[in-house]
Structures are given as C-alpha cells and as structure tokens.
Amino acid sequence: MNIRNTLLAGAAVLALAAGSAQAKELTFGFQGDANSMDPYNLNETFTLGFMANIYEGLIRRGPNLEIEPALAESWEIVEPTRWRFHLRKGVKFHGGEDFTADDVLFSADRVRGDGSDLKTRLAGVTDIIKVDDYTVDFVTEAANPILHFEWATWGIMSKTWAEKNGAVSAQSATGDQENFATRNANGTGPFKLLSREADVQTVAVANPDWWDNANKEHNLTKVTLKPIGSDATRVAALLSGQVDMAYPIPVQDMNRVDSNSGTTMLVGPELRTIFLGMDQHRDELLYSNIKGKNPFKDIKVREAMYRAIDVEAIKKKVMRGLSEPSALMVAPGINGSDPAFTRLELDVDLAKKLLDDAGYPDGFEVGMDCPNDRYVNDEAICQAVVSMLAKIGIKVNLLAQPKALYFKKVLAPSLDTSFYLLGWTPGSFDSWNPLFNLHGCYDADTGNGKFNLGRYCNPEVDALTAKVLSETDAVKRNAMIRDAWVHTTRDIAYIPLHQQALAWGARDGVNVKQRADNQFAWRHVTMD
Amino acid sequence: MIAFVIRRLFQALLVMLVVALIGFTMFRYVGDPVAQMVGQDTSLEDRAKLRQDLGLNDPVPLQFARFIGNTVQGKFGISYRIGRPVDELLADRLPATLELSLLAALFAIVVGVPLGVYTGLYPRRWLSHVFLTVSLIGISLPTFVIGILLILLFGVTLGWLPTFGRGETVDIGLWDTGLLTVSGWQSIIMPAFTLGMFQLALIMRLVRSEMLEVLRTDFVKFARARGLSNRAVHFGHALKNTLVPVITITGLQVGSLIAFAIITETVFQWPGMGLLFLQAIQFVDIPVMSTYLILVAFIFVAINLVVDLLYYVVDPRLRVERSGGGH
C-alpha cells in the first residue's frame, strides 16, 4: 500500500516536472501598470503596448516597426480619399465570436465615441462603409497617406461581446460605474487575459486559437506583468530572478545588471526626442529680469544658447553614455529623419559674442520649467543646462517638479513657461505629427501647434505641414518634410538635445526583441 | 461608558470632516489630473471638456461640498487612474495594509517589551548596551534605507526571501489573506520588520525608562521586603505599572503604522492602501486621495477610542472613579 502510494506520488511529481518543462512562463516588471484593460482608455505607450498583445489592429508593427498585415490581410487605395481594407477570414475573438466587418465598424464608433482617448486614430475619416462581411472602406476628408500608421494600437473589439456586457462605449471618467472592459478583455491577439489585479499583477496566457499560430515566434505559455514602482526594488527583483525581464532600468544600475551573472541589459535608442523650448511669442518673458522685450525672439540669443549647451557632456556625465545627441526633432527611425542634418557646434566664445551682438552683454535671467519624474534623468539634464548657460551669462532659475504639476503649468491652456524641457515621440512614426503639434503656429481653436508651448510660428512651415498631410507621393512628401525641417532648424525653433536610450534588463535565456517605440511585444519572446 | 463612546464618535466625524477639508484645499497644489488621464495627442478641446466634466473648473468649496454630499450617500467616485470605484479599490487593498501593520505592531510589541524590561532591569549589562545601540540605528535610519538594505541582503545576495509583493494570497470570504501560504509569510517578513523597526525601538526605550522609574518607587521596595519573588515583582507589579503610557503610545503608533506604511509599501511594492495613495498622488487621482484621507482619519480616531477603553482594563483606578461616581 505504502509502496503503491509512493509510486503514485513519484509519478505525479514526474508528470508535474514534465509539465513545467513545457510551460514557458514569463514574468516581467514594469514601473507602472496598464491603466485599464480597455484598449481605448489611454493613449500612452505602455498601456497601448500591453494591450496590443491582447487586442490586435488591422495592421501591426514588426520588431523594426515595419507595417505588417494583421486583421486586414491587404489594403489598397481605391481613390485618393478612399481606402479599402480586406479583412482576414476565419479569425475568432478569445470569447469565440467570429471577426467580421461589423466589429471594425463597431470599434470605429467606439474609438471615436465618448470616453475614448484614441479619437485621433480616425482623425479625418468621414465615413466607414461595410462593403461586405470582410471588406471595409474608409473615406477620408482629404488624401491621407499615413491613414493606417497608428492602427497597430487601435485594437478591434468584438461587437457582440461589448454589447452583451454593456461596454459599448469606453470607460467614462465621471460617474460611479465601472465599465466591464476595464478589467476584462476579448481581443483576437496572441495572448488572452486570464486575470487582472491592478497594481499587483495581470496575467495572460497564450491563445491556442490565434490565427497566426502557424508562424508564431514565441514559445510562451503564460505572461505575468508585475508592476514595481520603486527603481531599486525593480532592479533587485530582476537580479534575484523573481522577474525574467524588467524595464526601465535606471542608468546608474545598468552596470550592475550587466555585470551580474545571469542578467543582461538590452540597450537601444528610443524614438523619443528630448528638447528645450523657448517662448518666442510673448512680448516680455515670464520670470525674467528683462522688461519690455523678449530675448528669445532674437535668433542670435537662441543660437547662443544652442551653442552654449554641450550635449556630449550631458551624454557622458548625466546619461552615462546612454543618449544619442540629436540635430533634429525626430529620431532616426521616424519617417523624415535625416542624418544630413547636423547640430550647431559647441562654441562658448561665439555664444558670448552672439549675446553681445543681440544686446545682452551681461546676459539675462530667465525661469526654466522641468519635470523630475517624466524622462530619463530629466532634472539632472536641466541642471546641466543651467550650469552651461551660466557660462555665457544667462542665469536660469530652475523649477523642477513632478509631471503632474509641471504639465499643469506648461501645457495649454496655461502655457505658463518661458523656457522648458519636453520630450516627444510621434505615435505615427512620421514627421508630420511633430511638425503639426510642435511647430505649427499655435491656435487653441484648431488645435494647430497644441504642444508648441513656446509658440514658434513660421507660416511657410505651416503651409508645408499642410501639404505633407495630403501628399500621397512618398518621394515628394519626404522632400517637403525635409524642406520643413530645413526651415525649423534654421530658425532654431527648438534646441533638440538627444534621444534617450531604452534600458531593458532580462534574465539570460529570455530572448526579447526590443522595439524602438518602447512597446514590449510578447510574440517575439522566446525562453530557453 | 456609552455616552463616552458616542461623544467620541461625534469627535471622529468632526475630525474626518476637517481632514477632508484640509486635504481638499491641498489637492489644488498637487497638479492637474487631466494631463495624466489623456495621451499627448488628445485635443485641447477634449481636455477642456474632460476638465469640465470632472468639475475641476468649479471653485474648491463647491467641489468640496459635492464630495461631502456624495460621500454621505456612500458614493466615493471612480478612480481617475484605474477606472474602478474607489471604495472597492480601498477594500481590496485594506487587508494587505492591515496584515502588514498588525504584524509589524505585534513584532514591535513582542520583541520591544521584553527587551525594554531586560534593559530596564539590567541597565549595566553589555547586552543592554547592544540592544540600545541597535535600537538607536532603528530610530535613526530612514525606513526606505532599511528596506533596500534588507532587500539587497536577503533578497538579492542570499536569495532567501522575495524582494517584492505579497506572495500568493488566499481569499477567505471578505478577506484576502497572505498569511495562509508559505510565500505569503516569506513576503511579509522583510516589510513587517522594516515597518516595525522604529516602533520596536520606541517601545523598548519607553518600557526601559518606565521600568527604571517604577523600580525606584516605594511600592516595589515594599514588594521586595514582603519577600515576593523577583518574577512577581518585575512582571506582576513593576511592568504592569509601566503599561499605561506604553499602551497610549503603541495605540497611536498602530494608527501611524497603518497610515504611514506608505514608504514601506512603496519600497516592497506591497499592494496596500499606502502604495495606492502614493500612486494616487503622482497621478492626481483626487477621488482616491480624498477617500483615503478620510479613511485614515477614521482609523486613527477608532484606534484612539480602543486605547481609551483599554485604560479601563489596565488601570483599575479609572474604573473605581467612574463606578464610584455616586458617593
């Protein structure tokens, strides 16, 4: 009897061991959590990237951000303002519902409806027409060559599921009711949501019925997100093997992760550009000792500041080598980025002379706004800028504060800043977005230049930006983008600093593909 | 007695109201929730609409009145960040915080009182000096430093204990406990130690000085003269007389353990209310912040009430005065 029990127990242990050899369970730590399981809730990199593993769009982005067909097998431009998408047949949602054109139409309504933060996905789309169950036409106001560029993060939801569970519109910020989609998900993607505990853990399992399983790269069976807010704790969790992968790793800990046996760093340039903006609109600067005029309106002053800031020193001292100084407001990898542009050279003497010429031989005083919890080492970068500008006599009074306060102060409608640091990644990976948002003449009513906090304005750039939007010929379009960048860099509309580096840490044996947009796509992960 | 409790409950309401008011006036300086709630591409118009819908454009007194009105009806609003009703969210997090704080308090008392007695009875022994020195470290090192050092030593270098989180939890009806699983116990050791360290040092030093005081009093001398055993003198008479201040302080400290577990919870990613509150501040999640503050005010008042009631148990004189009120 005893022997038999022992044997049985032994067999059970063996079976378990065999089972766990098959199971590839990835646990990863991130500094925050996806805010909601509703894919339209927040237009923010982490939430979008997380949900893209569960909900798929008509297109998807590959490891190098190339556009691949996903729920749409192919598409064509029927007329300049009419795009036709042929949907993939035989795709099922996790709940078993068939994917058809009705779901696309429903998702289009939902993404443009109340509570959605992804309304821009269909900006300029006037009509969506179901041609048949697997063909959908998108009619646009004007020709738009980049219509589908951001659709990888417009996940298609099931109409039946949403209607059945009362999740027809996205979670509203007001009211007392929780939306069903806030904690439940039903996409078509490679992973299915298993459980969701906000701030504790969110678990997904591989979808055995995924349409692309024949070509799948990953060998995961389960993925667990553990949000770990404190940097030191997140690094410790990775070093101790409690998580298989963690990001972001603070720059000061990267050597530890690399030198630790069993963990490695993955470092790559991010698409976000960090830059300094200057108020070129007000007749008198805020927080300055110069009264009655605005020194930043004078290009000589802007050039002097540009030439006084040593980005290489920032790279070496502040970023510990983990930044790529940038001449443009878009990173390499963004359509329209061009290595032919170069930064103005560092030249403190020339900078002093320029200030002299501009009529500020003794420099001037100005206030600077800076976040201290938004970008990699943001406050330290600002401090470095302060000391560099002090060398040419510009006394900068730095106000570094948490992003909640910083954004309230500097963003429209208050625009309460004269000199600030900001970062920008165009979600479409195309230059039009930063041209429109950061360089367009500020107009609160049309939304033109809504993040142009310094209100730089060059009508020629605006005209080019408008043409870029509707030009469908790629070569002509890129030439226009180039023209626009020539104007803005000549005007010194901004002082671009650098692209910060992505810093992911992973346990050895976990093979991860790092995407430059800092989204973590689990379908490219394999575990040994 | 009942009148006393009722009076206390009224005071509690007043305290909660004042806390809510102060909290609300401070929220204006925390920042703008709208910038956190939408992505960078959201239009200015949509932002303005959201701000309007949330009532952020209204004057603070009006926002406050609306909040109190909703609270009285049991409507705590919905978290700006997670999109879940705040009362559910706090109820989810409460077990984690209570388990952590109570265990920390228990640890502080169970270890702190005997150490205090020992150092009080034998002030000159070398072991007493060791305890006192260590307790000085406990008082002077900031919580997050202790926490991170522990994580590095026991989590990373030795690999004995988990570095973060609560481990596996078991749902026992209303309560989601981590105290029924091995990983749950492993996970709670370091946070509870970190959180309890300061209280331990405090209690130990308090008991010690009280003991030194009491041992010098006449009734202890008489007790010895009566030939009572050392044990009876030390624990039956001396210790009992040191307990009133110790209970007061411990009670207050349990309140602050719950309220200020924030740092420990953050360092260990402990999914309690403190962590939720800290994230709420970063996000400017006003519904969560305001409800949390009121809840903490309530906990403080409730604990003080319990402490006051405990006096009656420990100090017979209070009972005599009350019951003998008639003569």
Side-chain angles (χ1 to χ4, degrees):
Chain A
M1 189 69 181
N2 265 334
I3 294 171
R4 206 180 133 204
N5 273 350
T6 317
L7 280 177
L8 275 177
V13 168
L14 276 180
L16 273 177
S20 64
Q22 295 290 312
K24 302 282 188 192
E25 299 184 352
L26 174 80
T27 304
F28 75 101
F30 180 68
Q31 65 182 359
D33 199 354
N35 277 27
S36 170
M37 291 295 106
D38 190 325
Y40 305 163
N41 189 263
L42 181 62
N43 194 11
E44 172 261 340
T45 307
F46 182 74
T47 307
L48 292 177
F50 186 91
M51 293 320 296
N53 294 298
I54 296 168
Y55 285 101
E56 289 172 304
L58 294 180
I59 66 143
R60 67 182 185 192
R61 296 266 179 178
N64 300 313
L65 302 179
E66 63 279 20
I67 291 178
E68 295 173 355
L71 289 183
E73 272 178 325
S74 62
W75 50 90
E76 72 241 357
I77 301 177
V78 191
E79 306 158 26
T81 58
R82 189 184 188 102
W83 288 55
R84 175 158 295 172
F85 285 81
H86 301 281
L87 306 183
R88 196 175 293 278
K89 291 176 184 147
V91 175
K92 280 192 186 303
F93 285 94
H94 298 153
E97 302 88 351
D98 287 314
F99 161 71
T100 66
D102 291 328
D103 299 314
V104 177
L105 263 60
F106 165 75
S107 300
D109 284 342
R110 195 175 191 274
V111 85
R112 289 191 286 187
D114 276 346
S116 163
D117 191 33
L118 270 60
K119 294 186 181 124
T120 51
R121 294 295 182 281
L122 293 176
V125 173
T126 49
D127 210 358
I128 301 164
I129 300 153
K130 173 181 168 183
V131 179
D132 60 48
D133 269 355
Y134 294 97
T135 314
V136 180
D137 280 3
F138 289 82
V139 180
T140 57
E141 222 164 31
N144 178 3
I146 57 167
L147 175 69
H148 57 308
F149 271 32
E150 281 188 76
W151 286 5
T153 49
W154 170 37
I156 301 299
M157 301 178 77
S158 159
K159 181 175 192 234
T160 357
W161 178 80
E163 281 173 353
K164 196 176 80 193
N165 295 303
V168 174
S169 51
Q171 172 79 55
S172 110
T174 50
D176 292 306
Q177 292 304 308
E178 178 183 337
N179 192 308
F180 185 77
T182 299
R183 270 190 292 166
N184 298 280
N186 182 32
T188 58
F191 294 87
K192 297 201 271 196
L193 182 67
L194 185 70
S195 71
R196 159 80 173 161
E197 269 180 276
D199 298 331
V200 181
Q201 63 172 13
T202 304
V203 186
V205 290
N207 175 10
D209 305 316
W210 188 38
W211 56 269
D212 203 17
N213 264 344
N215 312 311
K216 78 166 183 181
E217 244 178 89
H218 78 84
N219 63 354
L220 304 175
T221 51
K222 190 170 158 189
V223 180
T224 307
L225 159 68
K226 301 241 186 196
I228 309 176
S230 151
D231 282 340
T233 313
R234 189 165 57 252
V235 173
L238 177 67
L239 294 177
S240 67
Q242 286 198 338
V243 295
D244 303 304
M245 184 264 182
Y247 74 107
I249 303 293
V251 284
Q252 60 273 17
D253 287 323
M254 294 177 55
N255 276 335
R256 268 208 82 195
V257 173
D258 243 343
S259 61
N260 177 53
S261 71
T263 53
T264 341
M265 284 301 307
L266 277 101
V267 179
E270 197 189 342
L271 294 177
R272 187 188 306 280
T273 303
I274 305 290
F275 56 87
L276 301 173
M278 297 151 285
D279 181 353
Q280 295 155 58
H281 175 79
R282 287 192 178 88
D283 290 325
E284 183 180 297
L285 276 190
L286 304 169
Y287 316 107
S288 170
N289 62 348
I290 303 288
K291 299 297 166 202
K293 57 179 175 173
N294 176 348
F296 291 151
K297 283 192 174 193
D298 189 338
I299 189 169
K300 287 193 203 109
V301 174
R302 301 202 295 273
E303 185 179 342
M305 291 171 62
Y306 197 134
R307 290 191 182 274
I309 293 170
D310 183 353
V311 278
E312 289 298 334
I314 292 178
K315 174 178 179 176
K316 215 163 103 192
K317 297 277 196 278
V318 180
M319 303 298 287
R320 306 205 188 188
L322 292 165
S323 67
E324 207 42 61
S326 180
L328 272 182
M329 294 290 285
V330 284
I334 304 273
N335 182 41
S337 178
D338 186 343
F341 288 90
T342 50
R343 284 186 61 88
L344 295 179
E345 272 183 37
L346 172 74
D347 191 335
V348 178
D349 294 333
L350 179 55
K352 274 193 194 136
K353 193 177 160 294
L354 283 164
L355 268 190
D356 227 6
D357 292 352
Y360 304 98
D362 304 318
F364 55 90
E365 214 174 293
V366 65
M368 178 182 192
D369 289 289
C370 186
N372 63 14
D373 58 355
R374 181 66 189 89
Y375 312 111
V376 178
N377 290 351
D378 38 14
E379 188 177 359
I381 297 171
C382 290
Q383 282 163 346
V385 167
V386 169
S387 65
M388 287 163 184
L389 291 179
K391 284 186 194 156
I392 59 166
I394 300 179
K395 182 171 182 284
V396 180
N397 302 311
L398 178 62
L399 174 62
Q401 46 186 354
K403 57 178 187 263
L405 288 165
Y406 168 77
F407 284 126
K408 180 181 187 179
K409 183 166 187 282
V410 305
L411 290 191
S414 47
L415 296 179
D416 178 12
T417 186
S418 35
F419 185 37
Y420 60 95
L421 175 134
L422 196 69
W424 194 264
T425 316
S428 57
F429 313 125
D430 183 80
S431 286
W432 179 80
N433 173 310
L435 279 173
F436 177 76
N437 284 309
L438 300 174
H439 297 81
C441 297
Y442 179 82
D443 184 337
D445 294 330
T446 61
N448 208 37
K450 64 176 181 273
F451 283 92
N452 184 355
L453 314 182
R455 286 175 276 181
Y456 158 78
C457 182
N458 182 341
E460 281 179 69
V461 174
D462 268 18
L464 278 167
T465 307
K467 279 201 262 173
V468 167
L469 180 62
S470 56
E471 177 58 63
T472 45
D473 182 303
V475 179
K476 279 194 205 156
R477 188 169 182 277
N478 281 345
M480 291 171 184
I481 292 177
R482 204 191 129 75
D483 266 5
W485 287 136
V486 168
H487 276 100
T488 62
T489 45
R490 198 172 48 211
D491 292 345
I492 312 186
Y494 289 93
I495 303 176
L497 294 178
H498 58 237
Q499 278 91 41
Q500 61 192 33
L502 292 175
W504 298 9
R507 187 167 66 74
D508 294 347
V510 176
N511 310 304
V512 173
K513 278 196 183 133
Q514 190 174 45
R515 265 171 56 170
D517 61 352
N518 207 14
Q519 291 191 10
F520 181 29
W522 312 333
R523 65 190 163 92
H524 302 303
V525 180
T526 56
M527 287 175 84
D528 299 342
Chain B
M1 185 76 162
I2 293 170
F4 171 74
V5 172
I6 291 176
R7 204 163 56 232
R8 269 317 182 81
L9 287 179
F10 267 110
Q11 286 174 0
L13 274 181
L14 199 69
V15 170
M16 284 155 70
L17 211 62
V18 171
V19 167
L21 181 64
I22 295 174
F24 235 83
T25 9
M26 285 189 319
F27 295 157
R28 319 179 57 170
Y29 304 102
V30 183
D32 180 18
V34 173
Q36 326 286 319
M37 292 171 74
V38 299
Q40 63 180 18
D41 289 333
T42 303
S43 67
L44 298 178
E45 203 186 335
D46 282 346
R47 285 166 194 253
K49 183 172 177 295
L50 184 58
R51 197 170 281 119
Q52 183 66 39
D53 288 349
L54 293 174
L56 297 171
N57 292 334
D58 299 336
V60 174
L62 184 62
Q63 290 188 40
F64 181 66
R66 192 167 45 218
F67 171 72
I68 295 295
N70 285 338
T71 306
V72 170
Q73 298 171 49
K75 285 192 258 175
F76 297 94
I78 202 151
S79 160
Y80 292 170
R81 185 171 65 94
I82 313 182
R84 293 190 53 200
V86 174
D87 43 350
E88 270 181 41
L89 213 51
L90 283 170
D92 275 2
R93 302 304 181 84
L94 191 64
T97 297
L98 283 187
E99 279 180 9
L100 176 63
S101 343
L102 293 181
L103 211 69
L106 204 68
F107 161 72
I109 293 169
V110 169
V111 181
V113 172
L115 287 187
V117 171
Y118 181 87
T119 48
L121 290 179
Y122 313 107
R124 276 177 233 290
R125 289 205 188 160
W126 66 271
L127 204 55
S128 296
H129 292 295
V130 172
F131 291 150
L132 286 174
T133 315
V134 172
S135 79
L136 201 65
I137 298 176
I139 283 192
S140 44
L141 269 189
T143 321
F144 64 91
V145 174
I146 299 181
I148 286 177
L149 288 178
L150 288 177
I151 291 177
L152 282 182
L153 182 62
F154 294 101
V156 177
T157 312
L158 297 172
W160 292 348
L161 296 172
T163 51
F164 74 96
R166 218 183 149 199
E168 267 176 78
T169 55
V170 181
D171 193 359
I172 45 168
L174 290 172
W175 198 264
D176 193 29
T177 181
L179 300 180
L180 291 176
T181 61
V182 178
S183 70
W185 275 100
Q186 281 174 338
S187 302
I188 206 170
I189 293 175
M190 288 200 290
F193 180 82
T194 309
L195 187 59
M197 190 66 189
F198 179 83
Q199 320 298 336
L200 186 155
L202 193 74
I203 290 175
M204 171 183 151
R205 285 176 165 257
L206 194 69
V207 171
R208 173 178 173 270
S209 59
E210 289 289 327
M211 279 297 273
L212 287 173
E213 194 85 2
V214 172
L215 284 175
R216 262 185 249 127
T217 54
D218 288 341
F219 85 90
V220 169
K221 285 179 193 153
F222 282 119
R224 287 198 201 282
R226 269 164 62 203
L228 291 182
S229 69
N230 263 347
R231 219 185 112 177
V233 173
H234 293 158
F235 295 97
H237 295 273
L239 180 61
K240 218 171 176 182
N241 278 286
T242 64
L243 282 186
V244 170
V246 174
I247 288 177
T248 315
I249 296 292
T250 314
L252 287 176
Q253 291 298 324
V254 170
S256 50
L257 277 180
I258 295 174
F260 304 121
I262 296 175
I263 295 177
T264 310
E265 289 189 1
T266 308
V267 171
F268 290 96
Q269 190 68 28
W270 189 262
M273 295 190 305
L275 184 64
L276 185 72
F277 181 62
L278 197 82
Q279 285 164 332
I281 293 179
Q282 285 163 352
F283 196 91
V284 199
D285 196 343
I286 293 174
V288 172
M289 287 195 286
S290 38
T291 314
Y292 174 82
L293 285 180
I294 290 190
L295 181 66
V296 164
F298 173 76
I299 290 176
F300 259 90
V301 179
I303 287 177
N304 278 332
L305 181 65
V306 172
V307 167
D308 284 345
L309 295 178
L310 268 184
Y311 287 165
Y312 287 91
V313 181
V314 178
D315 194 338
R317 285 170 301 180
L318 289 174
R319 267 175 287 177
V320 172
E321 274 163 31
R322 286 278 162 169
S323 56
H327 68 97

